[in-house]
Amino acid sequence: MASKTTKQRDLDALWKQYDHNANNLISLAELQHILRSTHPALYDKKPLLMRAYRAADLSNDGFIARSEFGDLLYYLDTLEDVYDLFKDLDKDGDRRLSKDEFIKGWKKHGGKGEPLEVFKQMDTNNGGWVLFDEFCAALAENKVKSR
């Protein structure tokens, strides 16, 4: 049997830290608990946490299994930049982007494409706002190119 790589050992150590009650599943509460003390800035980004948690929960059972843990860490890291961009565009802090906020900020941040068309593409529920989930989905699906 091959020995574990350093990366695998590091992931195992992190898993033990995150799986606070040692039941081989990470609940959202456990994730929040560990992030509150280890990464307070990330802990305060609730929409990011929820999006990363849901994206990593491939089994849709409401928990992160060991096999999903690497994905959770990846999403937390990757979505942080997306969240920061969204937050910067959201000038009034209501956790949604109005057409005006989006258009004013999209080009400023190096977004590709005509801002109004990109906004319409992102607003998948046609609510007149782009929500964080829509923003993430659009960027993740390469519907639009940012930065």
Side-chain angles (χ1 to χ4, degrees), residues 87-105:
K87 189 129 168 90
D88 193 55
L89 294 174
D90 182 20
K91 294 301 182 193
D92 63 7
D94 64 356
R95 294 187 176 187
R96 57 188 185 174
L97 302 177
S98 69
K99 207 178 290 184
D100 187 51
E101 287 173 322
F102 186 86
I103 290 170
K104 285 180 181 175

Side-chain angles (χ1 to χ4, degrees), residues 38-107:
T38 61
H39 297 88
L42 191 57
Y43 170 78
D44 289 335
K45 299 175 180 181
K46 302 290 191 222
L48 160 66
L49 294 182
M50 292 301 301
R51 178 74 181 177
Y53 193 85
R54 283 194 320 263
D57 180 18
L58 299 176
S59 62
N60 290 316
D61 63 0
F63 296 95
I64 301 300
R66 177 63 179 86
S67 61
E68 299 165 327
F69 186 58
D71 289 339
L72 174 65
L73 297 177
Y74 171 79
Y75 289 128
L76 287 171
D77 181 53
T78 302
L79 291 175
E80 189 168 19
D81 289 338
V82 174
Y83 179 82
D84 291 342
L85 173 59
F86 182 87
K87 189 129 168 90
D88 193 55
L89 294 174
D90 182 20
K91 294 301 182 193
D92 63 7
D94 64 356
R95 294 187 176 187
R96 57 188 185 174
L97 302 177
S98 69
K99 207 178 290 184
D100 187 51
E101 287 173 322
F102 186 86
I103 290 170
K104 285 180 181 175
W106 186 244
K107 289 283 189 185

Side-chain angles (χ1 to χ4, degrees), residues 8 10 18 22 27-28 31 34 52 56 62 71 74 77 82 85 87 101 104 114 136:
Q8 289 169 321
D10 290 348
Y18 278 62
S27 68
L28 183 57
L31 176 63
I34 195 70
D71 289 339
Y74 171 79
D77 181 53
V82 174
L85 173 59
K87 189 129 168 90
E101 287 173 322
K104 285 180 181 175
E114 198 279 313
C136 287

